[in-house]
Amino acid sequence: MMSRRRFLGASLGGAGAGLLTLSGCGTAEGSASAGSGHLSLWYWKGSLSDRLLATAARGVPGVPGLKVKGSQVPDGDIDSKVRTSLAARAYVPDLTVVNNDNLATFFPDEDEFLDLRTLGAQSVRDQYLDWKWKACFTPTGRMIGFPLDAGPTALYYRRDLFDQAGLPHEPVDVAEELSSWEDFIAAGRTLRRKVPGTPYLVSNIGNVFQQVLLQSPKQFVDADNRFIGDQEHIRRAWDLSVDILRQGLSARITDGTPDFNAAMSGGRVATMTTAVWAINSLKDTAPKTSGSWRLTTLPDGPCNYGGSYVTLTRYCREPEAAFAFLKWLLSPANQLESYQEMALFPTTPASYADPAMHKPDPFFGGQQPIDVFGPAARKAPVVYFSPYEETANTPFFQELTNVETLGKNPERAWRDAVNTAGTALTRLGVS
Amino acid sequence: MATVLDPAGASAADERRPVRRSESAPPGGRRRFLPPLLAISPFYVLFAVFGAFPVVFSMYLSFQDWDGIGDMRFVGLKQYGWLLQDTVFWHAVLNTFEIWFLSTVPMLFLALVLAFLLHSQVRFAGAYRVAYFIPNVTSMVAMTIVFGSVFAQAGLANALLRAVGLDGIGWLSSEWGIKSSVSVMIIWRWVGYNALIFLAGIQAIPTEHFEAARVDGANSRQTLFRVVVPQLRPVVLFAAVTSTINGLQIFTESQVLFQSTDVGTTGGPGQEGMTIVLYLWQKAFKEHQFGYGAAMGWLLFAIIAVFTIINWRLVSGSDRDDRRPGIAGLLRRKGARDGR
C-alpha cells in the first residue's frame, strides 16, 4: 500500500511537470500574437473607431503588409490585464490603449513601454495639442504614450432657467458674467431664489471639486514625489465645493443614479461642469430637455477631463510598423472620422476647423459644441499626474461625500482626508 | 483483474499467483498504481496551478511591495503592520461584520421557515423550489442595478414607505440605510439557496417523528422548533458556516451600488458599504498595491477561520449535557449520535 506522503509526493511531482509544460506554452517573444501575421491591439469598447479598426484588420493604408487586429477588453479590466501580461511576460499586446488617469500609473515601469521618440514621434509633434503631447512623457523624459482623444470641459447650463432667473443666458454673456467660480455660486443663489421649482446649481459638489483640481497644473503629488494635497490649490477646490453645499446649491445626488436621471429630466439641476464626452449620456438621460441646454466656458477657464493614449509595449514585434499605424490611425483626418463616428474628441487642432465638426446641435438649441470645446481643448493647462493620484485623491473625494451626504464637519473631514492620504502615501514611498 | 495485471497468465491454476505477489509488494509492484494516479492527476495538476500556486504566491506576495510589473521589494511584515494601523481597513472589518450579522441571522431564519413550509403539503412545490433558487443564479451586477433603483431616494422602497405615511429613508446615503440595503440584497440572493439545503435536511428526518408529534398534538410552530430544528443541527451548521464564509466576502453589492466616476468605489457615504474584499480590490487592483492586497487577503483568511470555528462551536454545542471542549469533543459527540 502506498503511503499518503508518497502519494502526495507523486501527485505534486505530476503537478510540477504540468506547470513546466504550461509555462513552456508562453511564446518566446511574449507578444499576444507572435507567429501570426498581424499586430495585436487592446482597447475598450468606444475608445477607438470601429470603422478604422476594420480597415486596419484588412491592411493599414500606406503601410504595405501590415495588419492590426484589435481585441476588446472591458474598460475596467484593461489596466489589470496589461499589468498581468507584462508581469508574466507572455501574451502581451503589441499596442494598448491607456486611460488619461492611468498613464501615470505606468511611470515607475516606464521601461515596459517603447520610447516613441526613438521611432521619430517628434516629426508629427505640431499636429497635436501641446498639453496632450507633454502629458505623454514620463518624468525622466521617455515618451510612452501617443495622443488618442481629449476631454475638453465646458459649463453645460439650462438657458431657460438662467433666463427665468434674470441671469445672462446667451453663451457669450454667461462666459463673461460667470467668469469665476465665485460668480458661478452667486448665479446659483439667484437661480434658487427666483426660479419657480427652485432648481439646484449642481448635482453634487464632487464635480466642481474635480474641475477646480484639473484647472490646476499641480495635483496631489509633485514631480519630486512629495505629497502636496494639503496645500492651497487643493484647499481652494475644497472650500469652493463646501461653499456650494453650505449655500444649499447642491442637489446632493450621485451622477448616473436613478435619482440623478430623474433630477436632470425634471429640470431640478441647472448646470453640469464636465467634459465633452458627457453630451451623449445627457441626451440619453434627459431627452425631454432637448433645446434647453447651452454650452459655455467653465468658470476660471477650461481644463481637460478624461481622454486616452495609445502605448507600444516593450514586446511589440514591429515598432516601426506599429508607429506608422499610430500615425495613420491618429492623423487629423482619421481623428475627424473617429469624432463623427464615435464622438472621440480629436487631439489634432487641425480637425477643429473642418466643416464636419461645425454641425449645429438641436439639443443645444442649434449651438455648435465645437465653438466651446475647440478653444477649451487648446487652452487646457499642462497638468502633472503622479503614479499615486488615485491613492492620494480617493480620501478627499470620500470625505467630500461624507460632508455632502452625512453632514460631516468640513474642517474635520479635511483633516481626516489629509491624514488618510498622507498615511496611505507613506507606504508607497511618497514623503 | 488478475488477468489484466498478468497478461502472460493463461491457465486457471496460475490465476492466484499475481495476487500473492502483490501482497508481498516486491520492488516495481507500485507501478500498478500509475494508471489510476494518472487518471486522477488532471485535478491535482489544475489544483496546483490554479489553486495551490496562487495561495502560496499570495503568501509570498504579502511580504513584498509590488505594483504588478516592476521588481518586487521585500518589506517583511511591514504590510501587515501597516494594515493593523489602517483605520479604513478596520472600518471595513466592522462594516463587514455588521452587514454579515444583519443579513445572515434573518436569512437563515427565513430559509428555515420557508423550507418547513415547502415540506408541508403545498401545491406546486417544485415551482416554488425553482423560484426560490432563481435569485441565486441571477447576475449579481444586474440585480444590484435593479436594487439601486429600488433604494434610490425616489425609488420603490421609499414610495412604499410614503404610501403608509412614513418618511423616506436615505437607503444609500445613511449609515444604517446603506447596511440594510446591502443586507437585503444578500438575503434576497441566499435565502432560497439555504431554504433548499434545509429542505433536504428536513426530508431526511424520519416521518415517524412528524407523525409522533402530530399524535402528541403539536402544532406547526412546535413541530418546527421542537422536532425539526434539533434534528437539523448538522445542516444548520453547514448553512451557518457557508453563510459566514460568503458573508465575510461581500463585494459585488457594495461595488456596483456605490460606483461613481469621481469617488471611485469607496463604499458610499461614510464608507459604510466598504467591505474587506472591496477594500482589498480597491488597493490591489485599482491602486496596484498587490503586496498590501495580499496581506489583507491573509488577514481575512485568519478572520474567517476564527469565525468559522466560533460558529461551529456555537451551533453544534448548544445542548449543555454532552458539551465537550474542542473539535475532538464535537467529533466524539457526532460519533455517539451516529451510533445510536
Side-chain angles (χ1 to χ4, degrees):
Chain A
M1 183 70 198
M2 191 185 217
S3 77
R4 194 159 64 164
R5 189 176 302 163
R6 201 173 285 157
F7 170 77
L8 278 173
S11 46
L12 279 178
L19 265 176
L20 287 175
T21 326
L22 274 181
S23 59
C25 291
T27 53
E29 295 169 61
S31 163
S33 51
S36 65
H38 58 258
L39 293 183
S40 63
L41 161 64
W42 284 0
Y43 70 108
W44 61 89
K45 195 174 162 54
S47 63
L48 289 173
S49 151
D50 294 330
R51 222 180 297 154
L52 292 173
L53 279 179
T55 308
R58 287 192 301 270
V60 178
V63 193
L66 177 64
K67 290 179 182 175
V68 179
K69 199 173 147 202
S71 311
Q72 271 189 12
V73 179
D75 56 356
D77 297 345
I78 194 162
D79 263 37
S80 303
K81 227 182 151 215
V82 169
R83 257 168 210 281
T84 327
S85 66
L86 283 173
R89 299 185 187 87
Y91 304 104
V92 187
D94 296 292
L95 306 103
T96 175
V97 175
V98 177
N99 194 318
N100 184 59
D101 311 336
N102 297 332
L103 187 69
T105 63
F106 289 112
F107 285 177
D109 308 294
E110 54 180 346
D111 294 344
E112 297 290 324
F113 300 93
L114 296 182
D115 186 349
L116 301 179
R117 289 174 310 169
T118 62
L119 299 167
Q122 215 59 27
S123 64
V124 288
R125 191 203 194 291
D126 10 311
Q127 291 179 11
Y128 296 88
L129 292 164
D130 185 53
W131 59 266
K132 182 81 182 181
W133 189 269
K134 284 181 176 151
C136 298
F137 287 79
T138 69
T140 61
R142 250 177 112 87
M143 184 180 178
I144 64 168
F146 197 77
L148 179 52
D149 64 321
T153 50
L155 176 66
Y156 292 58
Y157 70 95
R158 287 283 299 264
R159 183 190 175 276
D160 51 338
L161 301 181
F162 272 55
D163 193 7
Q164 281 177 47
L167 290 163
H169 48 269
E170 291 308 330
V172 185
D173 305 329
V174 175
E176 203 172 302
E177 297 281 326
L178 273 65
S179 62
S180 72
W181 288 106
E182 285 77 11
D183 299 336
F184 176 68
I185 296 173
R189 277 201 304 270
T190 315
L191 270 169
R192 201 141 170 74
R193 208 172 50 237
K194 292 209 177 145
V195 180
T198 59
Y200 293 102
L201 180 64
V202 292
S203 54
N204 62 64
I205 55 177
N207 286 324
V208 175
F209 184 66
Q210 175 75 77
Q211 302 316 324
V212 181
L213 280 184
L214 291 172
Q215 285 172 336
S216 154
K218 293 186 284 183
Q219 297 292 301
F220 286 87
V221 180
D222 68 11
D224 297 327
N225 234 6
R226 278 185 316 223
F227 176 52
I228 50 171
D230 51 352
Q231 293 180 6
E232 184 49 37
H233 62 289
I234 310 282
R235 183 69 206 206
R236 174 174 148 75
W238 178 276
D239 286 343
L240 281 170
S241 312
V242 170
D243 197 27
I244 291 177
L245 185 68
R246 269 208 193 107
Q247 311 221 21
L249 305 178
S250 164
R252 310 202 291 181
I253 44 180
T254 312
D255 289 6
T257 60
D259 285 323
F260 172 78
N261 298 351
M264 294 320 269
S265 9
R268 304 272 296 139
V269 174
T271 74
M272 272 173 39
T273 54
T274 188
V276 59
W277 40 257
I279 289 184
N280 286 337
S281 55
L282 179 61
K283 286 178 180 173
D284 290 344
T285 303
K288 280 183 291 183
T289 60
S290 176
S292 321
W293 290 92
R294 292 292 182 279
L295 297 162
T296 193
T297 319
L298 210 59
D300 263 9
C303 56
N304 178 72
Y305 180 31
S308 9
Y309 305 86
V310 185
T311 61
L312 303 192
T313 66
R314 153 163 101 86
Y315 302 91
C316 180
R317 287 159 305 146
E318 295 178 56
E320 307 280 337
F323 186 69
F325 162 71
L326 281 189
K327 277 204 291 192
W328 167 78
L329 179 74
L330 300 169
S331 66
N334 278 340
Q335 289 219 20
L336 188 64
E337 289 221 354
S338 304
Y339 176 72
Q340 288 170 275
E341 187 196 338
M342 314 285 292
L344 294 168
F345 199 84
T347 39
T348 45
S351 317
Y352 304 163
D354 196 278
M357 293 202 70
H358 287 261
K359 288 208 188 95
D361 190 334
F363 191 83
F364 297 100
Q367 194 184 0
Q368 297 174 4
I370 187 68
D371 288 342
V372 176
F373 291 116
R378 287 176 205 268
K379 283 185 218 152
V382 180
V383 179
Y384 174 74
F385 288 105
S386 84
Y388 313 112
E389 287 311 324
E390 180 146 0
T391 305
N393 70 31
T394 302
F396 286 85
F397 280 108
Q398 177 61 50
E399 289 296 344
L400 209 55
T401 314
N402 295 352
V403 172
E404 180 162 42
T405 335
L406 305 175
K408 185 168 177 177
N409 176 291
E411 266 325 298
R412 237 191 80 207
W414 169 263
R415 280 201 307 274
D416 287 351
V418 170
N419 288 338
T420 311
T423 318
L425 288 169
T426 316
R427 290 200 302 267
L428 300 170
V430 175
S431 52
Chain B
M1 181 100 182
T3 43
V4 176
L5 286 171
D6 186 8
S11 72
D14 282 337
E15 263 192 0
R16 238 179 296 151
R17 252 197 322 157
V19 177
R20 232 186 3 252
R21 206 191 302 148
S22 81
E23 273 166 359
S24 61
R30 237 180 270 128
R31 195 173 297 166
R32 73 190 180 105
F33 287 108
L34 201 62
L37 279 180
L38 275 178
I40 59 166
S41 67
F43 166 77
Y44 288 97
V45 172
L46 289 176
F47 174 74
V49 175
F50 297 105
F53 173 73
V55 168
V56 174
F57 185 66
S58 75
M59 175 59 96
Y60 172 74
L61 204 54
S62 70
F63 301 118
Q64 311 282 333
D65 188 22
W66 192 42
D67 73 348
I69 313 175
D71 297 330
M72 291 187 195
R73 196 164 58 89
F74 180 77
V75 293
L77 286 170
K78 269 192 187 154
Q79 302 280 18
Y80 291 95
W82 285 323
L83 200 51
L84 294 177
Q85 292 165 19
D86 189 338
T87 50
V88 182
F89 173 72
W90 290 111
H91 187 58
V93 171
L94 183 67
N95 286 339
T96 307
F97 277 108
E98 285 168 345
I99 293 170
W100 167 74
F101 188 78
L102 270 181
S103 60
T104 305
V105 175
M107 174 186 66
L108 291 182
F109 180 73
L110 270 175
L112 186 64
V113 172
L114 272 183
F116 186 60
L117 293 178
L118 271 177
H119 183 251
S120 328
Q121 297 293 331
V122 280
R123 277 206 230 180
F124 314 119
Y128 281 117
R129 280 175 221 174
V130 173
Y132 288 137
F133 201 65
I134 283 177
N136 200 252
V137 290
T138 310
S139 150
M140 281 167 91
V141 174
M143 107 193 193
T144 307
I145 290 166
V146 172
F147 273 91
S149 49
V150 168
F151 288 121
Q153 213 43 258
L156 195 61
N158 276 346
L160 287 176
L161 284 179
R162 291 199 187 95
V164 295
L166 294 168
D167 283 339
I169 292 176
W171 291 104
L172 301 177
S173 56
S174 65
E175 180 179 358
W176 291 104
I178 289 172
K179 281 168 185 156
S180 314
S181 310
V182 175
S183 301
V184 167
M185 288 166 62
I186 295 166
I187 293 173
W188 184 81
R189 181 173 166 80
W190 290 103
V191 85
Y193 171 86
N194 284 307
L196 291 187
I197 303 262
F198 286 155
L199 179 63
I202 293 175
Q203 282 172 344
I205 297 173
T207 43
E208 299 88 62
H209 294 199
F210 290 102
E211 280 158 15
R214 203 173 327 126
V215 169
D216 287 348
N219 60 24
S220 299
R221 221 181 109 254
Q222 285 164 329
T223 316
L224 175 62
F225 288 105
R226 300 276 168 81
V227 179
V228 173
V229 173
Q231 301 208 44
L232 215 53
R233 207 194 285 144
V235 183
V236 173
L237 172 66
F238 170 80
V241 170
T242 48
S243 302
T244 305
I245 294 171
N246 286 329
L248 295 183
Q249 299 184 59
I250 308 157
F251 169 70
T252 317
E253 287 86 352
S254 290
Q255 199 238 347
V256 181
L257 217 44
F258 301 109
Q259 201 160 36
S260 81
T261 41
D262 291 327
V263 191
T265 309
T266 51
Q271 290 180 284
E272 299 298 346
M274 176 68 100
T275 62
I276 303 174
V277 182
L278 185 60
Y279 192 52
L280 190 163
W281 175 80
Q282 171 91 12
K283 284 292 167 192
F285 296 99
K286 298 298 282 179
E287 298 176 19
H288 313 300
Q289 302 174 26
F290 289 98
Y292 201 57
M296 218 183 298
W298 278 98
L299 217 52
L300 175 62
F301 170 77
I303 293 172
I304 290 180
V306 167
F307 269 78
T308 305
I309 293 169
I310 292 176
N311 233 317
W312 184 331
R313 301 200 50 179
L314 276 181
V315 177
S316 58
S318 52
D319 46 358
R320 302 234 144 217
D321 49 351
D322 61 350
R323 180 154 199 156
R324 303 268 197 293
I327 291 167
L330 286 169
L331 292 174
R332 204 160 35 237
R333 193 163 63 234
K334 188 176 178 301
R337 196 166 49 232
D338 291 345
R340 268 207 295 267

